[in-house]
Structures are given as C-alpha cells and as structure tokens.
Amino acid sequence: MDNLIVTQKNNHILTITLNRFDKKNALTSSMYRSLAKALNDADTSDDVRCVVIQGDENCFCAGNDLKDFLEHSEELAALEFIDALVSFKKPLIAAVAGHAVGIGTTLLLHCDMVYAANNSKFKLPFTQLGLCPEAGSSRLLPAQIGHTRAFELLVLGKTFSAEQAHSYGLINEVCEPDALLALASGAAKAIAALPLDAVLTSKRLMKSEPTSLTSAIKEEADEFKRLMVSDDCKNILSQFFK
C-alpha cells in the first residue's frame, strides 16, 4: 500500500486517509492504484462493513497531481480507482474539508453519504484544462442537480461552497472543521452496526442504471484520453511548470 494512502481497520470500518498534505492530497498514479486496491480489498473482506475516505480537517483532495498526470498520460490509473468506486458494493462515506477539486468532487457522486466542513471549496475545472468531465459526472451530476446548474459547475468550473453543495443535495451535512472526522466516523459506526445483508441489499436496490453509468464512464474515458493529447490540453498544463 502506498504510504501516501493510509488505511486503518477498526470495528468493521475501513478508514482510508489521503496522506499527502504537503501537496494538498493531489493524487498520483500510485495513489490511485492504492485507492483502488483498498476499495477492492474492502469489498471482498468479510471484516469490512463500511468505508470512510478522508483527508483531515483542512484538506480533502486537490485533484490530479498535474506533473504526474503528464508523465503518466498513457496509463490513466485514475480509471482503476473509478472502476473500483463504481463497482463498490458496501457503504462508502466521505469526509471533505478544504480543497475538493476535480476527482476530489466527482468521487463524492459515488459515495453513499458525504459530510463537509464549512471550509470546503468544491471545483470541477475540466474545461479550463482542456478536458471533459470524468468518473460518470456528466451523467450523475445533471441527474442530481439538473442540467443548467450542472453545466455551470462542469463547464464554467464555478467554485462552490459546502453550504451550496448541501443546498444542491450533494452532501448530507455541513459542520465545523474540528467536528468533521468524528461526524463521518459516527455515521460509519451506525451503518456497521446494521445487518450487513440488509445494508448491502438496500444499496444495491438504490444504485441506479449501472449499465448506462458504465457506458457514460467508457465514453468519458475515450474522450478524456483523446483530449489529453490535444494541443490545447498540453499547452494549458505546460503553463503550470513555467
């Protein structure tokens, strides 16, 4: 397991902590693979009933590490993580604080519960980078908040707050930063105490249109790969390293 992804199992709860705080938890290819492994292992473990993914009370995830992204542009290890998210059968809770950029926001669309500190800032800057939505967000976000608002967030890349995310129905509750991790942990404990079969069956029944979502992710991935090698994307990303 990547030491930038820390896992801890206790009382049937697996807590996955993003542990690259000096880079605002920007994700590298190796981190994506570690996240995918952690979810896949949890899904097959009889000892795990719920998973929490978190940073700390000040930072969740600033999206892709752009330098790593360019260096490993042919690999798209993020897709391994996205596949693990989509297929994950057990309850998944996210605790968000500070930056939640790109995949730091789109992964939340696959979570069953999301808590956010009032210092959270959400942003989906795909088109500004010459890219397109990923992780099924082109399908999931409009379904949750409507096309016009989703277009504003996914195409204009408008930054939005925890209070706005709550009003959109994207998160369950807004709290003070120092209460965040305990709040998510408490929800996980409540879920882990429930009958496992009932919980898993309930989640399976609520999961909507898996075939259509899979198709959307495949289409996004194809376009994402195409756009990654475009002059626009390369020129924009290269500006970060001048």
Side-chain angles (χ1 to χ4, degrees), residues 2 16 22 26 40 44 51 76 85 102 111 113 140 155 158 177 182 189 197 201 204 210 215 226 228 233 235 239-240:
D2 195 313
I16 302 172
D22 60 321
N40 290 331
T44 58
V51 171
L76 269 189
L85 274 175
C111 293
M113 300 187 76
L140 294 173
V155 177
K158 178 183 176 182
K189 289 176 183 176
D197 193 6
T201 300
R204 178 177 58 79
S215 298
R226 180 182 64 80
M228 279 174 54
C233 182
N235 289 337
Q239 297 302 312
F240 286 86

Side-chain angles (χ1 to χ4, degrees), residues 80-100:
E80 296 179 29
F81 173 52
I82 292 168
D83 288 344
L85 274 175
V86 173
S87 62
F88 194 63
K89 300 178 183 65
K90 295 176 180 177
L92 180 61
I93 298 173
V96 181
H99 291 286

